[in-house]
Amino acid sequence: MDFKKIENIFLVTFLLLNIYLLVSYFNRSDIQQATSTPDQVNLIREMQQIGIELPMFVEEKREIYYVQADSNDLLEKNVDKLENQAGSIGDDGTLYTSILSDPIELQGNPEEGFTEGDYEKLDSFISNGSVLFGEEYDFLRYDRSQNRFVYIQKVEEIPVADGTSEISLFYGGDGNIISYQQTYAGPMIPQGATQPTITDRQAVEVLFTNNEISSNSVISKPILTYYRTLHLEDLSMYGPVWYVPIEDTNGERVLRVDALERTIIKEPATPLVPEEEEETEEMKDENSEADEGEE
């Protein structure tokens, strides 16, 4: 019996078997990987299939700092610099409410839209000294639910869109703006090292998978913003949050997703709309007293 020949046959057989098992293993791994790729479970396609209108995503991961704002009373200290308005500071010193002596007249309206001249007029009012620290604020949006133009403080070119540093210009039924409210967080300083954020697309996917977006909704372009994540007596910390405007059967609303933790953020409280009639009477009384003093 040729034992050498038998030994070679066994060696070749085992070699072929090992090759077959190895190829089978890699094929199975490829199948498992393929079934878990985003292309196979395409959330964007799912949203489109149920009528959700999506914006053009940038899909850029950014490196963002946390920023710190120290507690301050800058609004209260500087309010005497303002002219042609009667205003008051809230009990905690963080909210200024003003009634204007000269209303801002606009040509447009919420139903048909506002004109380019309307927005230029508002921008000029914010930046020309009629509002404290106005040069630090930029226009964000018109909020239909509260009938207000929203301007927000920008830090490191990122808007603070949580209500703690914003100006709300309230649109009245007569087509004029007669009052506004302002909050101001103050100067902010970057803290620690930058951290990578999720993308705008990933933020929308987080909302969708958590059933926060209903069918036939319209999603506007997400905006990377700062949101107060820690509030202490002496300071506040702000972290990056995706601000996602949505319009659905319930009207317009804004959803927020933590840009680092992928968690949904609770919406901050809406501003208190000033009572125009009572405040206007106060304004008239103050103006009358001022006129009598001049005489």
Side-chain angles (χ1 to χ4, degrees):
M1 182 174 290
D2 192 345
F3 289 102
K4 186 66 174 177
K5 185 176 181 181
I6 294 174
E7 182 181 354
N8 289 337
I9 291 173
F10 274 111
L11 287 175
V12 171
T13 301
F14 279 116
L15 180 60
L16 292 174
L17 179 60
N18 287 335
I19 293 175
Y20 171 78
L21 293 174
L22 189 61
V23 170
S24 298
Y25 170 78
F26 282 116
N27 285 340
R28 188 175 296 109
S29 297
D30 289 340
I31 292 173
Q32 292 174 346
Q33 291 176 5
T35 57
S36 62
T37 59
D39 289 337
Q40 292 297 110
V41 186
N42 195 321
L43 295 175
I44 296 299
R45 189 175 298 125
E46 285 186 35
M47 284 187 268
Q48 292 172 335
Q49 288 173 347
I50 61 174
I52 296 175
E53 185 177 326
L54 299 170
M56 183 68 69
F57 293 113
V58 178
E59 298 195 51
E60 175 188 7
K61 290 186 176 181
R62 298 179 58 179
E63 297 286 335
I64 302 296
Y65 288 100
Y66 276 94
V67 293
Q68 175 183 321
D70 294 333
S71 299
N72 65 82
D73 55 358
L74 293 172
L75 287 180
E76 189 170 9
K77 282 184 175 180
N78 291 277
V79 70
D80 291 339
K81 298 179 181 178
L82 298 174
E83 299 178 351
N84 300 321
Q85 53 187 284
S88 60
I89 292 286
D91 292 338
D92 62 358
T94 63
L95 175 67
Y96 174 67
T97 300
S98 174
I99 304 297
L100 304 178
S101 300
D102 300 319
I104 304 173
E105 299 180 4
L106 302 181
Q107 298 299 315
N109 58 69
E111 290 72 31
E112 299 176 1
F114 295 97
T115 68
E116 184 176 341
D118 290 336
Y119 287 106
E120 290 177 353
K121 187 178 292 187
L122 296 179
D123 288 344
S124 176
F125 174 78
I126 294 293
S127 61
N128 70 2
S130 299
V131 175
L132 295 174
F133 314 108
E135 68 281 356
E136 298 182 35
Y137 292 77
D138 282 342
F139 177 72
L140 175 65
R141 68 183 183 116
Y142 180 77
D143 180 357
R144 289 178 178 270
S145 64
Q146 294 290 318
N147 287 327
R148 62 188 180 117
F149 294 88
V150 181
Y151 284 74
I152 48 180
Q153 182 187 6
K154 271 197 167 183
V155 179
E156 301 285 321
E157 296 303 314
I158 297 176
V160 180
D162 64 349
T164 62
S165 201
E166 77 177 18
I167 299 168
S168 295
L169 301 168
F170 293 98
Y171 178 80
D174 57 357
N176 298 333
I177 290 177
I178 193 173
S179 62
Y180 74 87
Q181 288 184 338
Q182 179 179 9
T183 54
Y184 181 57
M188 296 193 187
I189 304 172
Q191 299 293 320
T194 59
Q195 299 188 48
T197 68
I198 61 173
T199 67
D200 50 359
R201 169 175 170 162
Q202 289 172 321
V204 171
E205 290 175 342
V206 168
L207 293 171
F208 180 65
T209 55
N210 283 274
N211 300 315
E212 293 289 337
I213 305 175
S214 59
S215 59
N216 301 313
S217 297
V218 178
I219 303 176
S220 297
K221 182 179 177 59
I223 304 170
L224 188 62
T225 68
Y226 273 124
Y227 189 96
R228 187 165 66 184
T229 57
L230 176 66
H231 180 45
L232 303 176
E233 183 178 353
D234 297 328
L235 61 87
S236 294
M237 295 296 297
Y238 290 77
V241 166
W242 281 106
Y243 176 104
V244 186
I246 290 179
E247 184 174 356
D248 55 23
T249 55
N250 296 318
E252 293 183 347
R253 59 197 179 108
V254 174
L255 300 178
R256 293 170 171 82
V257 178
D258 190 304
L260 302 178
E261 303 296 331
R262 296 174 180 252
T263 55
I264 297 174
I265 304 296
K266 183 178 179 181
E267 184 175 1
T270 55
L272 174 66
V273 180
E275 295 289 341
E276 294 185 11
E277 293 183 0
E278 294 181 8
E279 294 291 349
T280 302
E281 290 301 321
E282 291 180 11
M283 179 193 70
K284 289 180 179 179
D285 291 342
E286 291 185 12
N287 289 339
S288 297
E289 292 176 3
D291 292 338
E292 291 176 2
E294 290 178 1
E295 293 176 358

